[in-house]
Amino acid sequence: MADMLDLAKKVGEALKAKKLLLSVAESCTGGGVSCALTEIAGSSEWFDCGFVPYSNSAKSEMLNIPAALIAQHGAVSEEIAAAMAEGALANSEAHVSLSTTGIAGPGGAVPGKPVGTVCFGWRVGGVTRTERKVFSGDRHAVREQTVAHALTKLLRYVDEI
């Protein structure tokens, strides 16, 4: 937990230094990224908001993701992670965003997407980036690794601009 707080603090410092606000859209992490970030005192200076659209209909309603896109690619896909990051930005006052969507388990696996599959999206500096990872461990471990990875990559991308 101390490592996660240190990472969240570094993310906050990087965002604050560049006068950037962050929004997040989290499905499989259920607000874990937002929780880690808001553990940091003063986070309101650089954290705008978090969306937790767990269902497909919530993704469509909250983040303006077309249901047809979800049907075409599946909720756990890089395409939907990108759309979630873009939707979080479009529906907030933020300058940068990140998203998570995945299968934390223990059930939910489908062919080609085992338990532990997580897709990420980051919208930083006008560019949307995505990534697909497969984490190991139980539900808690998958979600914890997802939060850490999302924040680590966000920190790298913010440092690049």
Side-chain angles (χ1 to χ4, degrees):
M1 186 63 172
D3 289 343
M4 190 69 73
L5 290 177
D6 186 52
L7 178 56
K9 185 176 180 182
K10 288 178 182 173
V11 167
E13 289 168 351
L15 291 166
K16 185 177 176 181
K18 298 197 177 193
K19 297 180 177 21
L20 298 172
L21 280 175
L22 171 69
S23 65
V24 302
E26 307 179 64
S27 188
C28 67
T29 46
V33 173
S34 298
C35 184
L37 293 170
T38 58
E39 283 291 322
I40 307 304
S43 57
S44 61
E45 293 181 59
W46 44 266
F47 183 75
D48 184 49
C49 65
F51 299 89
V52 185
Y54 224 66
S55 70
N56 290 345
S57 61
K59 288 174 181 68
S60 293
E61 292 169 22
M62 296 171 73
L63 301 173
N64 308 322
I65 300 173
L69 189 67
I70 297 171
Q72 180 181 359
H73 297 286
V76 179
S77 63
E78 289 184 64
E79 291 84 0
I80 298 307
M84 288 174 66
E86 291 165 0
L89 206 58
N91 290 286
S92 70
E93 299 295 320
H95 309 101
V96 299
S97 64
L98 71 81
S99 67
T100 64
T101 182
I103 306 166
V110 296
K113 296 177 186 176
V115 168
T117 301
V118 179
C119 294
F120 299 85
W122 298 270
R123 179 86 178 156
V124 180
V127 176
T128 302
R129 296 175 174 99
T130 63
E131 185 175 11
R132 180 182 187 266
K133 305 262 307 169
V134 179
F135 297 113
S136 61
D138 64 11
R139 181 175 181 81
H140 177 77
V142 168
R143 289 166 51 124
E144 191 170 78
Q145 291 170 81
T146 299
V147 171
H149 185 74
L151 292 176
T152 298
K153 281 293 188 82
L154 176 65
L155 182 58
R156 179 185 304 167
Y157 296 143
V158 169
D159 283 346
E160 290 175 359
I161 59 172

